Amino acid sequence: MSKPQNKYYVFIPVIIALSFAGGLLLGNKIDVLKNARIGSKTEGKIKLNKLIDFIDSEYVDKVNTDSIVNLTVTGILENLDPHSVYIPKEQLAAVAESMEGNFVGIGVNFYMYKDTLTVIKPIPNGPSAKAGIQPGDRILYANNKQLFKKKYQSENLFPILKGEVGSPINLTIYRKSENKKFKVTVTRDLIPVKSIDVATKINEKTGYIKVNRFAETTYDEFHNALVSLKKQGAKELIVDLRENGGGYLEMAVAMADEFLKNKQLIVKTKNKKGTEDLSYATERGVFETGRLYVLIDENSASASEIFAGAIQDNDRGTIVGRRSFGKGLVQREMRMNDGSAVRLTIARYYTPSGRSIQKPYEDKGEKYFNEFEKRFLSGELYEADSIKVADSLKFKTKKGRIVYGGGGIIPDVFVPIEKNHNKEGLELLLQSEIMSYYAFEKLDENRSFFSRMTQSGLKKELFKNDKYFNQFKEYVISNGLLFNLSDQKEQILTYLYAEFSKQLFNDASYYQIVLPRDKMIQKVLGKQK
């Protein structure tokens, strides 16, 4: 993470589809074709190879033909569909890490505070935590490489901190709270990249699980969370798939299996030859009874839609929120000999009722991936009646309810975005890194004072007067943001309380504080009564 810059623009209701990169591009985790052969001996391919050879041997200037090949591959794939893509070898490792569910590193959340790499919080039980690294520590040197006053971006720091499992890295630390500098050796290890942000109870009978993507470890994480919540007495469950761009198809299938009865259809895929592959639920489900709610929004895509479609078509639960993204294509990853890869669409998937939810993709560019403006202008984000559906794409659930194909999962219960644009922007602000950085800086000013507090004591401190509210308003202005926050004191202090709690205590405390104010959660809890 990097220090917030004064480059924010407001007063327009723009929500960009964040973090689709991994999920939207992945469909089916099929074994990688290690020796993918691109090209049979057709005339077109022979012509392309000859052209590259001519350029390499005869062109008047020196040309990197590898870069020409990369552009050619990208150009070919752009003529197929938006989800068939080329991944250069320089990017492939980072993409793989995100979906494998771990990476090798030192295990800290950090950002560049005043040009110094500063630890927000060590990952519990990670290498840095075991070595004694604490929140607020400044990392000055890593193996004698200076990390302060260099204006590093996060992407430049990751290669320095990462390494092989078991490899040591010598860090020079400055601990502000004790005004001392010391050296420590941290042994790098596997750091989990969690798919489950939180699993907690929001009232006596209702569990809540937030899933951020469908990676290799997602089902195991989800299953463990589900079993734990059941042991805590949860009899109803909310699965939050908002902003979840998807990932591996079989992770969505395995998750759906936890809720569906034996032999109920989860998803069907069909390839170019018309071959169908049907995935059914098994007998292993641990939550086949009890109310289930699935939260989706315009950025829920791919595997998120497979899960939501299976629950909806089998009448197993209630889908709450706004129409999902609309991706019904499945990709296979094929490795090239140079370490790059191609993700090629090899099938379409269909929900149990037979729906394809793939939206049209005549426009394969930015407008396809960020459809928010179009939905905003049509009124769809504010009124369920503004959602355009085609009568020709009617399907029926197991119990005969009408559902529609042709562009995303339409929820059973619609929850609009905030119509007041200032409040809409405020919600984004309160969930942004600005809030995280402000909380960190306040904690950093007097860490010994805050570290002695209980959670109730923290709340009393933040709410007792206008001190923190006024400081936050000034902090927002200093970062170039223009908001009228005067009448939002309670909401701002609630989110400050949540963010302080997260950094001082744990992630679950954050969600336990903010979820009762969440409109979709309120809608679910209202339906339970």
Side-chain angles (χ1 to χ4, degrees):
M1 292 182 285
S2 59
K3 186 79 171 67
Q5 303 295 315
N6 299 335
K7 297 180 181 178
Y8 294 84
Y9 300 89
V10 295
F11 300 127
I12 54 171
V14 177
I15 300 176
I16 299 174
L18 304 172
S19 55
F20 272 7
L24 283 174
L25 302 178
L26 285 169
N28 199 5
K29 182 193 160 194
I30 304 173
D31 289 342
V32 172
L33 303 182
K34 296 181 179 178
N35 296 309
R37 296 178 180 177
I38 304 299
S40 59
K41 292 187 178 180
T42 63
E43 288 187 7
K45 292 172 185 176
I46 293 173
K47 183 187 296 184
L48 181 59
N49 289 335
K50 277 193 173 183
L51 175 60
I52 298 297
D53 288 341
F54 286 152
I55 293 172
D56 194 32
S57 62
E58 303 294 339
Y59 187 67
V60 64
D61 295 323
K62 187 175 181 179
V63 174
N64 183 347
T65 51
D66 287 343
S67 64
I68 293 177
V69 171
N70 290 348
L71 289 172
T72 303
V73 173
T74 300
I76 292 171
L77 294 173
E78 284 176 350
N79 283 282
L80 301 179
D81 67 84
H83 303 287
S84 291
V85 295
Y86 171 69
I87 306 173
K89 60 182 178 181
E90 303 82 32
Q91 300 175 16
L92 189 58
V95 174
E97 277 181 358
S98 173
M99 301 312 295
E100 287 170 358
N102 57 65
F103 67 94
V104 178
I106 66 171
V108 292
N109 295 320
F110 68 88
Y111 82 116
M112 295 301 291
Y113 176 48
K114 296 182 179 179
D115 291 335
T116 301
L117 194 162
T118 305
V119 177
I120 295 177
K121 195 174 184 180
I123 294 173
N125 300 315
S128 289
K130 292 176 181 177
I133 304 296
Q134 297 180 9
D137 283 353
R138 276 66 166 169
I139 303 179
L140 305 180
Y141 294 90
N143 287 339
N144 297 318
K145 188 175 185 65
Q146 182 175 323
L147 301 183
F148 63 97
K149 294 184 179 180
K150 292 291 186 179
K151 295 184 179 180
Y152 279 110
Q153 298 296 319
S154 295
E155 57 268 24
N156 303 126
L157 288 167
F158 290 138
I160 298 172
L161 301 177
K162 290 180 179 179
E164 300 296 323
V165 173
S167 63
I169 180 170
N170 299 311
L171 304 178
T172 301
I173 305 294
Y174 171 70
R175 181 162 294 161
K176 179 185 174 185
S177 60
E178 300 176 16
N179 192 27
K180 70 176 183 179
K181 186 168 73 172
F182 59 94
K183 294 185 178 182
V184 63
T185 299
V186 177
T187 302
R188 296 181 179 96
D189 203 351
L190 284 174
I191 308 301
V193 182
K194 292 184 178 180
S195 303
I196 307 299
D197 287 337
V198 69
T200 187
K201 288 177 68 179
I202 57 177
N203 60 31
E204 185 178 340
K205 65 178 180 179
T206 307
Y208 170 88
I209 303 177
K210 170 66 175 172
V211 187
N212 62 56
R213 69 190 180 287
F214 291 81
E216 288 187 15
T217 59
T218 299
Y219 171 69
D220 289 338
E221 292 179 50
F222 186 82
H223 175 79
N224 293 337
L226 190 57
V227 170
S228 175
L229 288 173
K230 281 195 69 176
K231 287 180 179 178
Q232 295 173 48
K235 301 186 184 305
E236 301 181 356
L237 186 71
I238 299 171
V239 177
D240 191 345
L241 300 180
R242 288 175 291 181
E243 300 292 331
N244 184 327
Y248 293 135
L249 178 148
E250 70 260 282
M251 294 296 107
V253 170
M255 274 177 49
D257 193 4
E258 297 283 23
F259 303 98
L260 299 176
K261 296 188 182 299
N262 189 34
K263 297 184 180 179
Q264 285 186 311
L265 181 61
I266 296 174
V267 68
K268 176 178 74 174
T269 62
K270 183 186 291 187
N271 66 13
K272 182 177 184 178
K273 297 178 181 179
T275 303
E276 294 183 348
D277 183 12
L278 281 68
S279 298
Y280 291 95
T282 66
E283 297 177 343
R284 71 181 183 190
V286 300
F287 206 96
E288 293 182 358
T289 59
R291 287 184 179 177
L292 172 64
Y293 301 89
V294 181
L295 310 185
I296 62 171
D297 64 10
E298 52 279 354
N299 294 330
S300 304
S302 186
S304 292
E305 295 171 303
I306 290 174
F307 179 86
I311 298 302
Q312 188 176 53
D313 285 5
N314 283 292
D315 295 295
R316 173 61 187 90
T318 303
I319 311 301
V320 179
R322 296 182 292 277
R323 181 167 66 96
S324 63
F325 179 83
K327 181 197 180 244
L329 304 175
V330 179
Q331 285 72 50
R332 173 185 289 169
E333 184 176 289
M334 295 173 279
R335 295 286 178 94
M336 303 295 191
N337 290 333
D338 67 349
S340 63
V342 167
R343 287 211 178 114
L344 190 67
T345 296
I346 50 90
R348 296 180 182 273
Y349 76 75
Y350 301 84
T351 69
S353 66
R355 290 183 286 168
S356 169
I357 54 86
Q358 175 63 47
K359 65 181 181 181
Y361 50 82
E362 289 83 4
D363 183 346
K364 303 180 181 70
E366 183 180 347
K367 288 184 179 179
Y368 172 85
F369 287 101
N370 181 18
E371 201 183 44
F372 178 83
E373 182 178 0
K374 179 180 177 181
R375 296 191 186 190
F376 166 71
L377 293 174
S378 72
E380 174 184 329
L381 300 176
Y382 304 111
E383 301 289 344
D385 292 343
S386 298
I387 300 175
K388 304 299 181 185
V389 294
D391 287 341
S392 61
L393 296 176
K394 281 184 179 179
F395 295 82
K396 289 185 178 181
T397 68
K398 198 170 182 180
K399 292 183 178 179
R401 293 188 303 118
I402 299 296
V403 290
Y404 293 88
I409 301 291
I410 297 175
D412 303 310
V413 177
F414 178 76
V415 180
I417 65 171
E418 178 60 64
K419 287 187 177 181
N420 183 313
H421 298 336
N422 188 59
K423 288 185 178 179
E424 177 192 340
L426 177 64
E427 288 183 3
L428 292 176
L429 171 69
L430 296 180
Q431 297 173 49
S432 73
E433 291 181 337
I434 292 287
M435 179 67 74
S436 174
Y437 295 147
Y438 169 79
F440 170 80
E441 291 174 23
K442 289 294 108 180
L443 291 172
D444 197 56
E445 287 176 4
N446 197 347
R447 195 165 291 277
S448 60
F449 170 70
F450 284 105
S451 63
R452 294 192 297 268
M453 286 184 177
T454 62
Q455 195 159 352
S456 60
L458 173 65
K459 183 176 183 180
K460 184 178 179 180
E461 169 68 18
L462 294 174
F463 280 82
K464 69 180 181 181
N465 54 46
D466 291 343
K467 172 184 175 182
Y468 296 96
F469 174 63
N470 290 332
Q471 286 179 348
F472 180 71
K473 287 196 299 183
E474 293 173 4
Y475 189 79
V476 169
I477 293 171
S478 71
N479 280 280
L481 295 170
L482 300 176
F483 280 97
N484 179 11
L485 303 179
S486 300
D487 59 346
Q488 304 297 327
K489 178 180 175 181
E490 182 183 358
Q491 186 175 6
I492 289 170
L493 287 177
T494 298
Y495 270 88
L496 282 177
Y497 173 42
E499 186 60 47
F500 273 67
S501 296
K502 181 180 181 179
Q503 294 190 31
L504 279 174
F505 306 115
N506 52 54
D507 291 353
S509 64
Y510 175 91
Y511 287 94
Q512 288 162 356
I513 294 167
V514 302
L515 284 176
R517 303 181 67 92
D518 187 298
K519 288 187 175 181
M520 290 194 193
I521 298 295
Q522 290 174 347
K523 181 72 75 171
V524 168
L525 297 181
K527 287 185 68 63
Q528 291 178 335
K529 295 176 182 178

